[in-house]
Amino acid sequence: FSRQQALQPRRLNVTDILAELSHLLRRLLGENMDLQMIHGRDLGMVRADQGQLEQVIINLAVNARDAMPDGGTLTINTENRTLTQELKLKTEVIPPGDYVVIKVADTGCGIPAPNLDRIFDPFFSTKEVGAGTGLGLSTVYGIVKQTGGYVRVESVVNEGTTFEIFLPHSTAAGAVAAEE
């Protein structure tokens, strides 16, 4: 499980990836869920494996669906964000720089504070036996880290959860150097 997968990273436009995924996401969510996609303008390119990035979004959408059994709204926002100083997370620090941020927010049941520290642990799940493997969020975290990005999560019980995926901008010069 801990072995890193061989990625095929290339420069990607996150808006294009999400537009392609929107039909699948609507089917995954079902009729009683509202999917809102809000694309940022002039997003920077990111360097990532397209299939893996799609897996991240699908895993987050499935978890959101499961957190909203009576229906709700899943909102996926994208934006450019420049950090002028480091952003401290619970266990790591996002360094200053330019990022494309994918924000996935639901109006579900939220994650209780004691569970927030464990949600990225492999095989940790709050779902009933047989309803999940506990690998979805650990897979999200692993893929994002392997891509050079960061995951930030905020949650309020009975109000919902927001995941922010920070992916560094990929400049054309940096991409050429990385491919050599």
Side-chain angles (χ1 to χ4, degrees), residues 5-10 12 17 20-21 24 48-59 139 143 147:
Q5 296 182 19
L7 298 180
Q8 296 177 345
R10 58 188 177 96
L12 301 173
I17 303 299
E20 290 175 21
L21 267 182
L24 172 63
D49 179 291
Q50 181 172 342
Q52 297 292 315
L53 184 56
E54 290 171 348
Q55 188 65 51
V56 164
I57 302 303
I58 289 168
N59 283 2
T139 298
I143 290 169
T147 303

Side-chain angles (χ1 to χ4, degrees), residues 99-112:
Y99 296 89
V100 172
V101 177
I102 305 168
K103 185 187 294 188
V104 180
D106 67 56
T107 57
C109 61
I111 303 169

Side-chain angles (χ1 to χ4, degrees), residues 107-179:
T107 57
C109 61
I111 303 169
N115 293 344
L116 271 178
D117 292 335
R118 300 191 57 209
I119 61 171
F120 297 120
D121 292 352
F123 308 111
F124 176 74
S125 178
T126 58
K127 296 178 183 175
E128 295 177 16
V129 174
T133 61
L135 293 175
L137 290 178
S138 62
T139 298
V140 164
Y141 184 80
I143 290 169
V144 171
K145 292 306 294 178
Q146 198 171 353
T147 303
Y150 301 87
V151 181
R152 178 182 184 189
V153 61
E154 294 179 353
S155 188
V156 177
V157 173
N158 297 323
E159 290 184 22
T161 302
T162 300
F163 286 89
E164 288 183 312
I165 309 296
F166 287 75
L167 299 173
H169 277 201
S170 171
T171 61
V176 170
E179 290 173 2

Side-chain angles (χ1 to χ4, degrees), residues 7 16 28 42 53 66 72 80-81 83 85 97 123 146 154:
L7 298 180
D16 292 345
L28 276 172
D42 302 319
L53 184 56
D66 294 348
N80 288 312
R81 192 173 307 167
L83 298 180
Q85 54 189 2
F123 308 111
Q146 198 171 353
E154 294 179 353

